[in-house]
Amino acid sequence: MGKYGVRVNPPQRPSFDVETFLESAASWARKVVEYRSGDVIFSQGDACDNVLYIQKGGVTLRVLSHAGKEAIVGVLGSGDFVGEGALAEQPVRLATATAMGVSVLLVVEAKEMRRVLHEQHTLSDRFLAYVLARNLRVEADLVDQLFNSSEKRLARTLLLLARYGQREIPHRVLPKISQEMLAEMVGTTRSRVNFFMNKFRKLGFIEYNGCLKVNDSLLSVVLHD
């Protein structure tokens, strides 16, 4: 726990029994779709009529303001849901979802998702726990933006992208992500991100070897007052 009570590692996410869900959902109400890197999965303003589960790959969520300003508001990975607002009868998508690398998503009609969650209490309990954990993450992100420096925000972002704190992920290798994207997520400039990334590398907090690896020692940046 850092300054201002900022949570560093995300809450442990309960596992979602995808196999049970696949067996329960009617075949006509679901489909599996593969996206290439950069493909738009859905756009801000589209009808919100289904829920997607990321089986492989990742998804970025971007929001475009009326003034034309764009910001990344989320990066999700395998095991995450996208577009769950459909279950609350949200009429349109509030963000644009784009695939990060080759991604495979299970697409389920909102009506069918509600039926399965209503009939399978164990599954609905896990899904509720997942949604609550996501809400806690959003709150922590807001506190991070309000009170922490850009260096700490970058360190925390890298740790979260590497799924720090999750035991089932022994190798903390990041998905392919540009410094421009990191700058959007952190709320700073690319030059500042480049400066801090070089600093982190020199200190041994991160490693470049064809991919970006985040070491646990990066946590010291977030905890340092």
Side-chain angles (χ1 to χ4, degrees), residues 22-91:
L22 287 173
E23 292 173 0
S24 304
S27 59
W28 57 266
R30 65 172 173 81
K31 60 181 178 179
V32 176
V33 183
E34 181 173 315
Y35 295 91
R36 294 175 299 177
S37 182
D39 283 352
V40 174
I41 299 167
F42 58 74
S43 298
Q44 185 175 335
D46 284 353
C48 191
D49 52 10
N50 55 40
V51 181
L52 304 93
Y53 178 81
I54 306 173
Q55 294 182 318
K56 174 185 176 183
V59 173
T60 60
L61 297 174
R62 295 173 179 268
V63 173
L64 183 66
S65 71
H66 292 296
K69 186 176 181 179
E70 189 177 52
I72 294 177
V73 295
V75 176
L76 306 174
S78 58
D80 285 325
F81 285 90
V82 186
E84 59 269 31
L87 299 178
E89 299 184 355
Q90 180 179 299

Side-chain angles (χ1 to χ4, degrees), residues 9-15 159-160 162-172 216:
N9 56 310
Q12 291 294 315
R13 184 179 59 217
S15 60
L159 287 166
L160 290 174
R163 302 295 179 102
Y164 177 84
Q166 295 186 25
R167 296 178 181 177
E168 67 272 21
I169 303 177
H171 303 294
R172 311 193 195 289
D216 291 349

Side-chain angles (χ1 to χ4, degrees), residues 136-152:
L136 289 173
R137 164 74 182 276
V138 171
E139 290 178 7
D141 288 345
L142 177 59
V143 173
D144 190 40
Q145 287 288 335
L146 290 173
F147 295 113
N148 285 334
S149 66
S150 55
E151 182 178 12
K152 283 189 178 182

